[in-house]
Amino acid sequence: MRLTEFWRRMNEHFGEAYAESFASDHLMSELGGRTVRQALEAGWEAKEVWRVVSRTQGVSALLR
């Protein structure tokens, strides 16, 4: 998954304003206690990060 697709899905699920806030501020134990941004910067694949977000945040099946 490309980062552009990852951010499109984040924006669609959370809304543009909250997607950035969630990605920067919400620590997720499933990402090793990192935020979404920290996980991506640490080298996690966007696809894996999206799977975690989808599973834990009730993302619609259409966006998975």
Side-chain angles (χ1 to χ4, degrees):
M1 169 186 288
R2 295 178 185 263
L3 280 175
T4 54
E5 178 63 14
F6 173 84
W7 287 111
R8 184 193 69 75
R9 291 181 189 195
M10 286 285 290
N11 289 333
E12 191 166 334
H13 178 70
F14 291 106
E16 287 188 35
Y18 187 62
E20 179 58 38
S21 176
F22 179 88
S24 298
D25 300 331
H26 186 78
L27 294 173
M28 302 184 74
S29 60
E30 300 85 355
L31 297 175
R34 296 177 178 91
T35 66
V36 165
R37 284 225 173 258
Q38 289 170 334
L40 292 169
E41 290 169 3
W44 284 56
E45 294 290 329
K47 183 176 183 178
E48 292 303 315
V49 175
W50 180 247
R51 284 183 182 153
V52 169
V53 171
S54 295
R55 188 172 55 249
T56 62
Q57 300 304 309
V59 172
S60 157
L62 295 172
L63 289 176
R64 290 186 202 164

